[in-house]
Amino acid sequence: MNAGTPVNATPRPRLGFGLLGPRRGRHELSPEQFDALALPVGDDGVVIGSDAQGAPAVLGLARPSAFDVVLVGGAWTAQVLALRAVGTGARVAVETGRRQLWSTLAQSANSGRQCVTLHDVGRVPPQGPSAHSPVLLVRDCGARPPRGRVGAAPWQSVLTLLPYLGPTTPRLMERADLVGVQRVAPEEALLVGRTMNLPADDVEALSALPDGVTLWCTPSARTYVTTRPTEPETGLLGAARRME
């Protein structure tokens, strides 16, 4: 041991960010084994848009541990995320008091199999998530959602959609693993900034974000993501918008 090395030194934590797909242990193969490789290589997750450098932003929703996401924003973004989650093989359960807002999406996504189900608020049954059948639960229950019967669990992520800040929003954000914020009023931006430990520049930017842009953050990391719909998504959901 070197004289200058502290006895109880611990490695510095590697700053991570929730937008990247879940990390697995690294595996190595010899060149002769590549022909037998049948699984895709790389991060798994939902491409939710592009970051400020134009690189794809991937949100890993299928995780072996519980994962809670809070989105203060529009239903349009939540619907795009739900559609793209279905595209990765996940089942989506939507708990909503606005069934008519989600019915067209559910009908379109369920054309081949039952992968999107709609439920009244407080009436979501157990979903039976597994590694082979992960679940995304979208809670569209207003600015003050009641306690859910079904919560985050291994292979079952929860996305709580808040159209604007309510009295329970700070508590929900503090408990979430990841928070997304779209355009909010200046006084709401101040509350988000205090809760999520945002710098002044980001607090100021929140009240002027364009449609389709989300600040995804944790108390220690943040990035802006622009979600652009594909042609089929535009045909089904229309253009990006903050409010319905």
Side-chain angles (χ1 to χ4, degrees):
M1 177 183 296
N2 294 332
T5 302
V7 174
N8 296 321
T10 57
R12 293 183 61 187
R14 181 179 178 271
L15 294 179
F17 192 66
L19 286 176
L20 293 176
R23 292 295 193 254
R24 306 286 189 264
R26 293 186 178 274
H27 302 276
E28 293 184 358
L29 295 176
S30 66
E32 294 76 18
Q33 293 176 298
F34 275 107
D35 290 338
L37 187 63
L39 295 176
V41 177
D43 291 324
D44 52 346
V46 178
V47 178
I48 62 173
S50 55
D51 62 19
Q53 289 72 44
V58 180
L59 177 57
L61 292 171
R63 297 170 180 252
S65 58
F67 188 59
D68 260 308
V69 182
V70 168
L71 172 62
V72 181
W76 182 90
T77 300
Q79 290 179 326
V80 170
L81 297 186
L83 277 177
R84 295 183 182 183
V86 168
T88 65
R91 291 180 288 123
V92 175
V94 182
E95 180 183 6
T96 180
R98 303 186 289 178
R99 184 178 286 262
Q100 73 285 352
L101 183 65
W102 291 87
S103 58
T104 301
L105 180 150
Q107 291 170 4
S108 176
N110 291 336
S111 58
R113 60 189 180 94
Q114 188 75 10
C115 52
V116 176
T117 56
L118 305 183
H119 309 273
D120 294 332
V121 176
R123 296 187 175 273
V124 182
Q127 297 298 303
S130 68
H132 302 291
S133 184
V135 174
L136 170 64
L137 172 60
V138 179
R139 304 200 70 214
D140 176 25
C141 307
R144 192 172 185 174
R147 185 180 297 273
R149 291 178 58 188
V150 177
W155 305 111
Q156 180 169 280
S157 296
V158 175
L159 171 64
T160 301
L161 173 64
L162 306 175
Y164 51 87
L165 272 66
T168 61
T169 301
R171 175 176 56 82
L172 292 173
M173 291 193 296
E174 288 171 353
R175 294 182 178 180
D177 298 295
L178 181 66
V179 173
V181 185
Q182 297 186 314
R183 187 172 61 249
V184 293
E187 58 272 17
E188 292 180 313
L190 290 173
L191 178 57
V192 173
R194 288 195 298 269
T195 305
M196 300 306 299
N197 193 31
L198 298 178
D201 290 347
D202 289 315
V203 172
E204 183 177 356
L206 285 178
S207 58
L209 292 179
D211 290 343
V213 176
T214 307
L215 173 62
W216 292 99
C217 58
T218 69
S220 60
R222 60 199 174 276
T223 189
Y224 291 92
V225 174
T226 301
T227 302
R228 296 182 177 88
T230 63
E231 186 173 337
E233 290 169 347
T234 300
L236 181 63
L237 304 176
R241 55 193 179 277
R242 168 63 176 88
M243 297 296 294
E244 297 303 324

